[in-house]
Amino acid sequence: MKLTDLSIKRPVTTFMVLCIILLFGFIAFFKLNIDLLPSFDLPMLMVMTHYTGASPSEVEDLITEPLEGVLATTNQVSSIDSISSEGTSMMMLSFAEGTDMDFAALDVREKVDLIKPLLPNSVASPIIMKLNPNMMPIGHYSITLNARSLSETTDFVTSTLVPTLKRIPGVANIQVTGGVNRALRLVADIDRLSTYGLSLNQLNQLIRSEYRTLPGGVIEESNSKLNIHVQSSALTKEDLKHLVVSNQDSRPITLDELVEFEEVYAETSSYANVNGEPSILFSIQKESTANTVTVSEKVEKVLKQLQVDNPGLSVDVLFNQGVIINESIKAIGSNALIGALLAVVILFCFLKDFRTTLIMAVSIPISVITTFVFIYFFHLTLNMISLGGIALGVGMLVDNAIVVIENIHRLKQQGLSPAEAAYKGTTEVAQAVTVSTLTTISVFLPVVFVQGISAHIFKELAFTVTFSLVASLGVSFTIVPLLASRLLSVESLEKKHLILNSLRHKYKQVLIWGLHTKKKVTVLVLLVLIMGGFALQGVGFTFFPSADQGIVYITVNLPKGKTDTAVRLVCDEVLQRIKGIEDIETTSLTMDKSSSRADIMLVLDPLQTRKLTDKDVTKAIMETTKNIPGAKISASTGGSLMSSGNNGITINILGEELEELEVLGDAIQGLSKSITGVMEVAFKESRSAPSVAIQVNQSEASQYGLSSAQVANAIQNAMRPISVMTLEDEEGPIEVVLYSQTALGSGLTEIQNLTLSSLKGSRVPLSAVATYQREEGYHQIERSNQTHLLSLDVIIEGRTIGQVSKDLENVFEQLNIPEGYHVVLGGQVAQMKDSFSMLFMALGIAVLLVYMIMAAQFESFIQPLFIMMIVPIAFAGGILALFIANVPVSMPALIGFIVLSGIVVNNGIVLLDFINKLRKEGKGVEEAIIEAGMTRLQPILMTTFTTVLGLLPMTLGIGQGSEIQLPLALTVTGGLLLSTVLTLIVIPVIYDQFVQ
């Protein structure tokens, strides 16, 4: 090889090229972005439309269905899901993988513009948004100002904190929850207003007109035009009280004669508390292109500076994704470093020579640093998957060097000079080493056919492993022969190794036994495969492992229509009950006062100090809170970006009639509770909500000159507070809000006593023109692909998603499902089926490619089959490892099987290649098999143990986020260990049997 010859003859040139690569590698490493998982875009759009005051059924009929009909014709759209709730239609459009979402958004906008003229006049223009995983907050914080009131803290947050944080590059939005605002309530009696010919809306306009700038025209002066603006002086509370709003008998009527002034501290539309105390929380969203770690570090720096500038300010970090990412990346990085050191140690144990170990070990740092150059120029990030690829390959990076060094040493023993031995030794094995590397790399080629989440995960692992192995191949053809020609001595590989010599002797006996008792070897192989099959049944399947991020989420749902006070009381009960659970550091509660739901986030103690895992805490919460009456409480772990972490299944029931869906849902709920491992089966949302229907009597209303629209408008004005303006005084801003006495009343009685103004000027009680009726209605209506949808959540414990989903499908078969109705499993089950089908296809293609490459090397269709026989044995080993560790088959495990199919054949290639070489030299079949086995035993064991020990930290699950890498490491380790043991026996036996 010219490259090898050049490296040996021009060592300075080779060294300088190496320095350039290492320099670029170090620069690239410090410029790489860091993230938890590979970044990817969701091919989804959301279309949201507001229709104030409309019921869910009206929203469905007038907005959702017309929009669905026209949007279904959009190019590349794969599914349409919608939720029609009070006053809002929300639609989710999913597109085929690879769709250009910018063009898709334009197409959707055109479709919406076509249907807009057919929508009701009072409907707001539909809002179209692209969805992105980066929309999720990257940090949650709580803030307090010592010796300051909650109102002052709220003012500081809105006036100082939020504007300061928004100026940080990469910060997209700050969402504030909780706090109180000073408010000036103007409480009006509608009947009293009507005597002066005023309504609430008219009173609002009169007040606003005194606090705005009005145009006064244009004048010319000195050849210049000047615009005139008429401005009122800044209003105060006293100014408002004396504001003239009407006249009676030529006497001015001031505002304080018509309304009562009440200064209050009103809670914002949301409520928050931390550790049981009212507080203010804020969360940070980053821009889609910004790096999570970089933005988090900048936010932390600004918050520290704010605390320095504002004595008494305290900001507590509840959740910081940047910290979690850093800890996870550091853990996987340290695991890779430990693995590399262990690989070097095992080399030294085999070789017992420092120089030889150094020559082989140099492949690891050079290949890894070179990989960073590739990662940078391919615009990848350092994340759990890409670094996991490096950690996976770190033990394999010396494989090529081991084969090259062993062959160079053999030639030096034959009397060749160091330079000649280095050149010829490298050239002789170049083809075998290249083919072995190609078989490993080839398993990643099917990534081009994989789509969806699997592609995003698989792609980065494929790139990093490929980059590192290509780099190691280059090192073995350049640096290794260069160093071997100068440092390697004949005595280096001839040191006595009592353990290895004893192992060779034992192996020879076992090999001879296997060659003469082929049936027993066959039975052994079948037994291993059967054990793997049984283990697969027991290990189960899940979509993606969740990492212990030290976060647990609790969702509290009450029936629709419950007040925020009722929700808060239940939350207080939940928080009181979970006080006895260990390892909870901080509790934070947030709720939207307009809904009957609250969210509680628990921050657990650091992973190194706590006794319980996040799943243990979740289980304890579900057990502790299961009997709180009238509340649906669910708990889930923080999980990861790929998995919700709640270890649950969604059951989707599809059909036309909502009542029939409820019947099916009740039946499924009853049958599913008896399934082993099912903790809870509950409807995803409350199916109904209490409401009051006011039926206008048209004949009675017409006698007073009233229409249904006038009645509805009067009720809305009476019930809805009106934000008028914001004043400034010495204490800060204060919001002026106009209320009717009815709006501050206690309930339906105030509505019943409401009076309306007729066209004749008389006051008409509402009860004279309308009747009232309490009823239950759907609070929201869900649809999927233009048919109604009802969903149930199944929370499981102790069994995998795959195991429970099989039992659920058996339950569905027991149901008498009417024609036109369907029951399907959604959520993680649907994701798992789609991803696994893609990966199984990739696995099949990978195995086929490995066979083709080996057939090309051996120039034989049959001999590669000898080696391929070891692949199912390796798979059995991987499954047994997962079974022993009680880890289910997941996406990383399947990727591990794909990687395994390219690794395990390498030992067989080395062994079979040497058998063929000895037979060409004239040796008999059995003699060639035994000599090849004895000769290749050491390099085979060395390559296996360096790979296994390189993966050992990952296999032991050490560090933050190790749960993501664990299935892959277990699969490769178990498969490689078992296949190596059997390769040394099975391949020789199959070869001998075929020749015979």
Side-chain angles (χ1 to χ4, degrees):
M1 291 179 65
K2 289 184 179 180
L3 184 61
T4 303
D5 187 43
L6 180 66
S7 301
I8 296 170
K9 291 179 178 178
R10 304 195 62 177
V12 175
T13 302
T14 303
F15 182 70
M16 288 298 103
V17 172
L18 174 62
C19 288
I20 292 171
I21 293 173
L22 294 179
L23 176 63
F24 283 6
F26 279 111
I27 295 172
F29 175 76
F30 288 106
K31 292 179 72 68
L32 287 172
N33 285 331
I34 299 174
D35 223 324
L36 186 64
L37 290 170
S39 60
F40 58 93
D41 295 324
L42 294 174
M44 300 179 72
L45 290 175
M46 181 171 69
V47 180
M48 183 173 287
T49 310
H50 295 288
Y51 185 17
T52 305
S55 67
S57 58
E58 291 173 328
V59 170
E60 180 189 28
D61 293 339
L62 299 176
I63 300 175
T64 303
E65 288 191 9
L67 282 173
E68 283 180 344
V70 69
L71 292 177
T73 62
T74 306
N75 289 332
Q76 300 291 312
V77 71
S78 57
S79 65
I80 300 177
D81 299 299
S82 66
I83 298 177
S84 301
S85 56
E86 185 174 351
T88 303
S89 167
M90 186 174 70
M91 303 177 63
M92 306 292 293
L93 279 68
S94 299
F95 291 82
E97 187 74 20
T99 302
D100 187 321
M101 296 310 297
D102 291 327
F103 283 108
L106 289 173
D107 195 10
V108 168
R109 197 174 303 279
E110 290 177 0
K111 304 286 185 185
V112 168
D113 289 340
L114 289 175
I115 198 70
K116 272 169 62 175
L118 303 180
L119 300 177
N121 293 331
S122 55
V123 170
S125 182
I127 301 169
I128 301 168
M129 293 184 290
K130 287 189 288 186
L131 295 186
N132 192 300
N134 293 319
M135 295 172 68
M136 299 297 292
I138 63 170
H140 296 282
Y141 305 83
S142 69
I143 182 171
T144 55
L145 269 171
N146 296 337
R148 301 283 186 94
S149 66
L150 195 58
S151 172
E152 291 174 304
T153 306
T154 305
D155 182 41
F156 174 81
V157 169
T158 55
S159 63
T160 304
L161 180 72
V162 171
T164 302
L165 292 177
K166 280 188 174 181
R167 288 195 291 268
I168 298 174
V171 172
N173 186 41
I174 311 292
Q175 184 175 354
V176 179
T177 306
V180 295
N181 292 321
R182 290 176 64 223
L184 182 63
R185 284 180 177 174
L186 310 181
V187 184
D189 184 332
I190 293 180
D191 289 338
R192 181 171 174 78
L193 286 180
S194 64
T195 60
Y196 294 96
L198 293 172
S199 65
L200 281 179
N201 282 332
Q202 289 173 324
L203 189 60
N204 174 38
Q205 294 301 322
L206 283 170
I207 299 172
R208 281 174 176 268
S209 65
E210 292 297 318
Y211 191 62
R212 64 180 179 181
T213 301
L214 298 173
V218 179
I219 62 173
E220 291 187 7
E221 183 182 63
S222 301
N223 297 322
S224 299
K225 290 184 178 181
L226 301 176
N227 292 320
I228 299 176
H229 303 288
V230 181
Q231 296 179 326
S232 61
S233 60
L235 285 178
T236 66
K237 286 182 284 185
E238 291 301 316
D239 293 333
L240 274 180
K241 288 181 179 180
H242 300 106
L243 180 66
V244 176
V245 293
S246 183
N247 285 278
Q248 186 180 47
D249 300 329
S250 300
R251 184 179 73 84
I253 305 299
T254 57
L255 184 61
D256 61 347
E257 295 182 64
L258 299 182
V259 301
E260 296 179 14
F261 282 70
E262 299 178 0
E263 187 171 337
V264 297
Y265 286 96
E267 289 184 349
T268 60
S269 59
S270 59
Y271 170 77
N273 78 40
V274 176
N275 294 329
E277 296 295 328
S279 183
I280 300 175
L281 304 180
F282 64 93
S283 58
I284 295 175
Q285 291 174 300
K286 72 179 184 70
E287 294 173 353
S288 59
T289 57
N291 179 254
T292 303
V293 174
T294 303
V295 174
S296 296
E297 289 174 348
K298 290 179 179 177
V299 168
E300 291 286 330
K301 185 177 180 181
V302 169
L303 289 176
K304 286 179 180 178
Q305 187 60 46
L306 280 173
Q307 292 178 80
V308 172
D309 297 340
N310 299 273
L313 174 64
S314 176
V315 179
D316 295 320
V317 181
L318 303 179
F319 168 73
N320 186 337
Q321 195 176 36
V323 172
I324 293 174
I325 291 172
N326 269 330
E327 290 179 355
S328 300
I329 296 301
K330 285 178 183 177
I332 194 71
S334 64
N335 285 350
L337 180 60
I338 294 170
L341 293 175
L342 288 173
V344 174
V345 169
I346 198 66
L347 283 176
F348 185 77
C349 291
F350 271 101
L351 301 172
K352 290 190 173 182
D353 182 76
F354 178 75
R355 287 186 177 185
T356 310
T357 303
L358 178 64
I359 295 171
M360 294 182 181
V362 76
S363 298
I364 296 177
I366 295 175
S367 300
V368 170
I369 295 171
T370 305
T371 301
F372 293 140
V373 179
F374 286 114
I375 292 175
Y376 178 79
F377 285 108
F378 276 76
H379 305 292
L380 306 180
T381 61
L382 280 183
N383 54 65
M384 292 287 289
I385 303 301
S386 59
L387 270 180
I390 294 175
L392 172 64
V394 74
M396 297 186 287
L397 298 180
V398 295
D399 290 0
N400 295 332
I402 289 171
V403 176
V404 170
I405 287 291
E406 193 218 9
N407 205 47
I408 292 173
H409 168 70
R410 184 178 61 85
L411 294 176
K412 286 190 74 172
Q413 284 181 318
Q414 294 176 6
L416 271 68
S417 67
E420 288 176 328
Y423 174 72
K424 190 174 180 182
T426 305
T427 305
E428 281 185 359
V429 296
Q431 182 180 358
V433 168
T434 303
V435 170
S436 295
T437 304
L438 287 177
T439 55
T440 305
I441 293 174
S442 67
V443 300
F444 297 113
L445 292 180
V447 71
V448 299
F449 302 109
V450 178
Q451 295 182 338
I453 294 175
S454 305
H456 298 293
I457 297 298
F458 192 17
K459 181 180 69 175
E460 297 223 355
L461 183 81
F463 277 140
T464 49
V465 174
T466 301
F467 295 155
S468 61
L469 291 181
V470 168
S472 74
L473 184 64
V475 171
S476 67
F477 288 163
T478 55
I479 306 299
V480 169
L482 170 61
L483 294 178
S485 67
R486 282 158 173 76
L487 300 178
L488 190 65
S489 63
V490 176
E491 296 79 17
S492 298
L493 295 173
E494 291 183 348
K495 295 184 179 181
K496 291 185 178 181
H497 201 307
L498 297 178
I499 297 176
L500 190 58
N501 290 337
S502 176
L503 191 60
R504 281 197 183 98
H505 179 68
K506 294 289 184 184
Y507 169 60
K508 183 177 181 180
Q509 292 177 334
V510 173
L511 183 55
I512 293 172
W513 169 84
L515 292 172
H516 293 92
T517 56
K518 295 184 178 65
K519 289 184 179 179
K520 291 183 179 180
V521 174
T522 304
V523 170
L524 177 63
V525 171
L526 291 176
L527 184 63
V528 168
L529 294 176
I530 292 170
M531 289 174 61
F534 279 114
L536 184 61
Q537 295 295 319
V539 79
F541 292 84
T542 192
F543 173 50
F544 201 88
S546 60
D548 189 342
Q549 297 185 2
I551 303 288
V552 172
Y553 298 104
I554 304 174
T555 303
V556 179
N557 276 298
L558 267 66
K560 296 297 176 181
K562 291 293 184 180
T563 63
D564 61 296
T565 304
V567 177
R568 204 178 300 183
L569 288 172
V570 172
C571 290
D572 291 341
E573 176 69 19
V574 170
L575 292 173
Q576 184 64 35
R577 291 193 182 193
I578 66 175
K579 278 185 177 179
I581 300 175
E582 290 185 276
D583 298 326
I584 297 177
E585 182 181 10
T586 306
T587 64
S588 68
L589 163 69
T590 58
M591 58 176 288
D592 185 340
K593 295 172 67 176
S594 64
S595 74
S596 55
R597 164 183 169 146
D599 296 295
I600 301 172
M601 183 174 74
L602 308 181
V603 181
L604 307 183
D605 291 330
L607 186 64
Q608 299 81 3
T609 60
R610 57 183 153 98
K611 301 175 184 177
L612 304 177
T613 66
D614 56 353
K615 291 181 180 178
D616 294 333
V617 174
T618 300
K619 187 177 180 180
I621 291 169
M622 294 297 293
E623 186 67 27
T624 305
T625 61
K626 64 182 179 182
N627 58 352
I628 295 180
K632 177 191 171 186
I633 298 169
S634 60
S636 64
T637 62
S640 71
L641 295 182
M642 303 297 300
S643 171
S644 62
N646 64 1
N647 200 28
I649 298 172
T650 301
I651 302 174
N652 294 324
I653 311 170
L654 300 160
E656 193 57 38
E657 298 297 330
L658 288 169
E659 292 78 9
E660 185 63 40
L661 296 182
E662 289 190 6
V663 172
L664 287 171
D666 290 333
I668 291 172
Q669 187 179 39
L671 292 171
S672 300
K673 287 181 178 179
S674 61
I675 296 174
T676 304
V678 172
M679 291 181 64
E680 181 185 359
V681 183
F683 287 91
K684 182 171 284 189
E685 294 286 347
S686 174
R687 288 173 285 174
S688 60
S691 61
V692 176
I694 299 178
Q695 185 67 42
V696 178
N697 187 319
Q698 296 288 353
S699 59
E700 292 291 338
S702 62
Q703 293 180 14
Y704 298 99
L706 295 172
S707 65
S708 297
Q710 288 173 311
V711 173
N713 188 53
I715 294 173
Q716 285 181 357
N717 288 337
M719 296 303 299
R720 187 172 56 198
I722 301 172
S723 179
V724 182
M725 65 176 67
T726 299
L727 302 179
E728 291 281 347
D729 61 15
E730 63 278 0
E731 296 181 34
I734 181 169
E735 185 181 12
V736 180
V737 185
L738 185 60
Y739 287 83
S740 72
Q741 289 180 339
T742 304
L744 294 175
S746 59
L748 187 58
T749 304
E750 278 67 28
I751 300 178
Q752 292 172 334
N753 295 332
L754 183 67
T755 58
L756 313 173
S757 296
S758 70
L759 291 179
K760 300 175 182 178
S762 61
R763 303 296 296 170
V764 180
L766 181 60
S767 56
V769 297
T771 56
Y772 320 90
Q773 182 179 350
R774 294 180 182 271
E775 60 181 29
E776 295 286 328
Y778 292 102
H779 76 90
Q780 70 177 36
I781 301 172
E782 295 186 49
R783 295 166 63 86
S784 179
N785 293 324
Q786 304 187 65
T787 188
H788 286 124
L789 166 70
L790 191 65
S791 299
L792 292 91
D793 283 335
V794 183
I795 306 300
I796 63 177
E797 178 67 37
R799 298 181 73 198
T800 65
I801 289 175
Q803 292 166 333
V804 175
S805 63
K806 286 184 180 179
D807 292 342
L808 285 171
E809 288 170 349
N810 293 333
V811 166
F812 301 159
E813 292 176 1
Q814 301 175 29
L815 298 172
N816 183 21
I817 301 176
E819 186 177 351
Y821 290 79
H822 307 280
V823 181
V824 295
L825 294 174
Q828 290 192 39
V829 176
Q831 288 179 312
M832 185 173 70
K833 287 182 177 178
D834 291 342
S835 298
F836 280 21
S837 63
M838 288 286 182
L839 290 176
F840 278 124
M841 178 193 70
L843 179 59
I845 297 173
V847 171
L848 189 59
L849 286 173
V850 169
Y851 168 79
M852 291 176 176
I853 291 172
M854 289 192 298
Q857 181 197 4
F858 292 110
E859 198 59 36
S860 168
F861 293 109
I862 303 300
Q863 288 196 12
L865 295 177
F866 303 161
I867 302 174
M868 295 302 294
M869 291 295 293
I870 212 67
V871 173
I873 296 174
F875 289 171
I879 294 167
L880 287 169
L882 293 171
F883 179 77
I884 293 169
N886 194 28
V887 174
V889 176
S890 58
M891 189 189 297
L894 281 181
I895 294 174
F897 284 118
I898 295 173
V899 174
L900 200 57
S901 65
I903 296 176
V904 296
V905 298
N906 291 339
N907 291 334
I909 291 172
V910 171
L911 184 60
L912 193 58
D913 184 62
F914 201 65
I915 292 173
N916 289 336
K917 182 179 179 182
L918 293 175
R919 289 206 57 205
K920 287 178 181 178
E921 293 176 357
K923 294 186 178 181
V925 176
E926 186 169 326
E927 182 186 4
I929 289 174
I930 294 172
E931 185 177 341
M934 297 289 288
T935 304
R936 294 305 186 194
L937 178 63
Q938 179 172 335
I940 287 175
L941 291 179
M942 288 172 65
T943 56
T944 298
F945 281 113
T946 52
T947 303
V948 169
L949 288 176
L951 286 171
L952 184 61
M954 290 169 58
T955 307
L956 296 177
I958 298 172
Q960 179 89 32
S962 59
E963 299 91 339
I964 295 176
Q965 302 291 347
L966 181 61
L968 186 150
L970 282 170
T971 303
V972 175
T973 299
L976 192 55
L977 284 174
L978 184 61
S979 65
T980 298
V981 173
L982 294 181
T983 293
L984 293 167
I985 302 171
V986 173
I987 291 180
V989 168
I990 296 174
Y991 184 89
D992 185 53
Q993 179 66 39
F994 175 77
V995 173
Q996 295 296 335

